[in-house]
């Protein structure tokens, strides 16, 4: 299984600022995803991070608010821009290698999450 | 569109008692089904998954789940709960190979498990 780390683990930010969250995987993964977990809620997919091209965003999420980079197969960043208190959430990244022989097909492994509080 | 329903928001059991967490899904094709557990302040850990084959799947920590296509269910069970099982449990459904939604997971609302000594 892949081991995924995230930095920072938590942060407290001021309204109007931006925060970039880093996600590092210990092995190459084909697909990486970013999720948001609002307080007391389930996980909602923000976007699929595509290597070498623009991320694919889910309905309700836009690139200007959540720009994503994925420079290689082991690393991705998510930026939460122009933050407001409504952005206070846990942000999780995940990685998966769907369909590759010998690997866990379509199993997503999650990072520990970044707990963001916006004041 | 795919969706997952976990009818029980909060379940309380005594240590040593059996456990069943319910999960119902809506999906237009053969689903990939998962159960994850999230302990307080932690990320998600995969408990078990179903892709095909035997409808009773075994996972880690003594958990098992049974896929019932006729009922669109994938309930999680454990015969004897331990205090360390107290956590939040998420059922999720994902798409098999192909299509623009490939690899994406849709999660249920989660079930919080409390274990009494």
């Amino acid at each position: 299984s892949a081991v995924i780390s995230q930095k920072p683990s938590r942060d407290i930010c001021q309204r109007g600022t931006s925060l970039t969250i880093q996600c590092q995987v210990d092995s190459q993964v084909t697909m990486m995803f970013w999720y948001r977990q609002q307080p007391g809620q389930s996980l909602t997919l923000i976007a699929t991070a595509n290597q070498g091209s623009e991320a694919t965003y889910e309905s309700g999420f836009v690139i200007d608010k959540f720009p994503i980079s994925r420079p290689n197969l082991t690393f991705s960043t998510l930026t939460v821009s122009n933050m407001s208190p409504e952005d206070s959430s846990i942000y999780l990244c995940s990685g998966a290698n769907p369909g590759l022989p010998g690997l866990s097909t379509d199993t997503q492994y999650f990072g520990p999450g970044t707990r963001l509080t916006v004041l | 569109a795919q969706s997952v329903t976990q009818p029980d928001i909060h379940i309380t059991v005594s240590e040593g008692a059996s456990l069943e967490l319910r999960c119902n899904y809506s999906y237009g094709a053969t689903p990939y089904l998962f159960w994850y557990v999230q302990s307080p302040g932690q990320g998600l850990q995969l408990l078990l998954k179903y892709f095909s084959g035997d409808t009773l799947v075994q996972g880690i920590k003594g958990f098992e789940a049974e896929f019932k296509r006729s009922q669109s269910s994938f309930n999680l069970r454990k015969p004897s709960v331990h205090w360390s099982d107290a956590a939040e449990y998420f059922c999720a459904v994902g798409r098999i190979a192909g299509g623009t939604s490939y690899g994406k997971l849709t999660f249920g609302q989660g079930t919080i498990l409390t274990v009494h000594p």
Side-chain angles (χ1 to χ4, degrees), chain B:
Chain B
Q2 57 202 53
S3 65
V4 178
T5 302
Q6 293 179 243
D8 305 304
I9 297 173
H10 197 165
I11 283 184
T12 300
V13 300
S14 298
E15 191 168 17
S18 63
L19 172 70
E20 182 170 31
L21 302 182
R22 296 184 291 166
C23 173
N24 293 97
Y25 67 90
S26 173
Y27 198 72
T30 301
Y32 283 1
L33 294 159
F34 306 83
W35 275 99
Y36 286 88
V37 60
Q38 185 178 38
S39 298
Q42 303 294 313
L44 272 72
Q45 181 181 23
L46 179 68
L47 284 176
L48 48 78
K49 61 193 177 190
Y50 171 78
F51 291 154
S52 64
D54 193 346
T55 56
L56 183 64
V57 294
Q58 303 296 321
I60 62 171
K61 303 185 180 186
F63 286 93
E64 66 177 27
E66 186 171 13
F67 171 60
K68 293 185 177 180
R69 184 187 300 275
S70 62
Q71 299 177 18
S72 297
S73 69
F74 188 58
N75 295 347
L76 181 71
R77 301 194 294 250
K78 186 170 185 178
S80 177
V81 171
H82 188 263
W83 65 265
S84 60
D85 293 325
E88 188 162 16
Y89 292 79
F90 292 94
C91 181
V93 62
R95 188 186 171 100
I96 60 174
T100 57
S101 61
Y102 181 46
K104 299 176 184 177
L105 294 182
T106 298
F107 285 83
Q109 288 300 104
T111 298
I112 298 171
L113 174 65
T114 298
V115 181
H116 281 166

Side-chain angles (χ1 to χ4, degrees), chain A residues 46-84:
Chain A
I46 298 172
T48 303
N50 303 309
Q51 192 221 349
S53 65
E54 207 167 87
T56 306
Y57 290 84
E58 297 301 300
S59 175
F61 297 96
V62 295
I63 187 172
D64 290 344
K65 177 67 175 177
F66 297 103
I68 288 171
S69 78
R70 188 166 176 205
N72 55 51
L73 291 176
T74 64
F75 187 77
S76 178
T77 67
L78 169 76
T79 298
V80 187
S81 303
N82 188 25
M83 289 184 284
S84 67

